[in-house]
Structure formats: structure tokens, C-alpha cells
Amino acid sequence: MVLLSFLGASVALLAVGLFVLYDGASTLLSAEHPTIGTMRLFGGDIWAGWTMIAALGYSAVPPVVLRRMKAPLAKSVHEKVLHADAAMNKADWMTGPAAIAGVLGVGFGL
């Protein structure tokens, strides 16, 4: 039964991966450029990228704090699961600045 669930999960991940690959390749080959519009905030129009950057920066802070708390503890108690979770927290906070760079790249027209 466990093997069937692993097979089902792997087929689902393969399908999603192939869809993302197809979508990205077709967008790249057709030379489509994404746009980030404006939004009305506090009575004025602002570029929506600024709110995206603020949200991404805000969401990158907790994983940094959690990783710094978990990594030394995992090492001292020799806990592999806690170490893996600390590594995932590192990966989580690293996606924030990468996404910010992507939003800025779209803003500059890259």
C-alpha cells in the first residue's frame, strides 16, 4: 500500500513538473513579458510590485529567526529531523530575496 502511495505522489509531481516546464518553455519561446500593474492604496495609485516586495521581505524574516534558533539546537541534541527543518528554513528565507529580485527584474523590463 505504501508503494502505491509513493507511485501516486511521484506521478502527480511528474505531471505538475511537466506542466510547469511546458508553460515556462512556451512563454519563453513566444517572448511574452509579464506585467505588474498598479493598485489603489491610501487614495493614490502605486506600483503593485512595491507591495509584493514588502510582503516577500516580511515573510522572509520568520524563517531566518527560526533557522538560527533550530540549527544550534539540532547540533547539540543530534536530531536529524530538526536539522532538516532548519535546512528547510534556510531554503525558505532564501526564496524571499530571489523572488524580490524577480519582481524587480520584471519592473525593469527584464
Side-chain angles (χ1 to χ4, degrees):
M1 191 64 169
V2 174
L3 289 176
L4 288 177
S5 49
F6 278 120
L7 177 66
S10 63
V11 169
L13 285 173
L14 177 66
V16 169
L18 289 174
F19 172 73
V20 169
L21 179 67
Y22 169 75
D23 186 48
S26 64
T27 303
L28 184 64
L29 292 175
S30 65
E32 294 179 22
H33 293 284
T35 58
I36 298 176
T38 60
M39 60 185 293
R40 195 127 178 101
L41 189 67
F42 303 119
D45 291 333
I46 64 164
W47 181 54
W50 294 121
T51 57
M52 293 178 195
I53 290 170
L56 288 166
Y58 179 75
S59 67
V61 173
V64 171
V65 174
L66 289 173
R67 182 188 183 274
R68 291 196 178 260
M69 291 169 59
K70 290 177 185 178
L73 183 61
K75 190 176 276 188
S76 67
V77 297
H78 305 292
E79 178 64 34
K80 290 181 182 180
V81 175
L82 191 58
H83 177 71
D85 193 40
M88 282 305 299
N89 283 132
K90 180 181 180 186
D92 286 344
W93 77 258
M94 291 176 76
T95 58
I100 289 172
V103 169
L104 289 174
V106 169
F108 285 123
L110 300 176

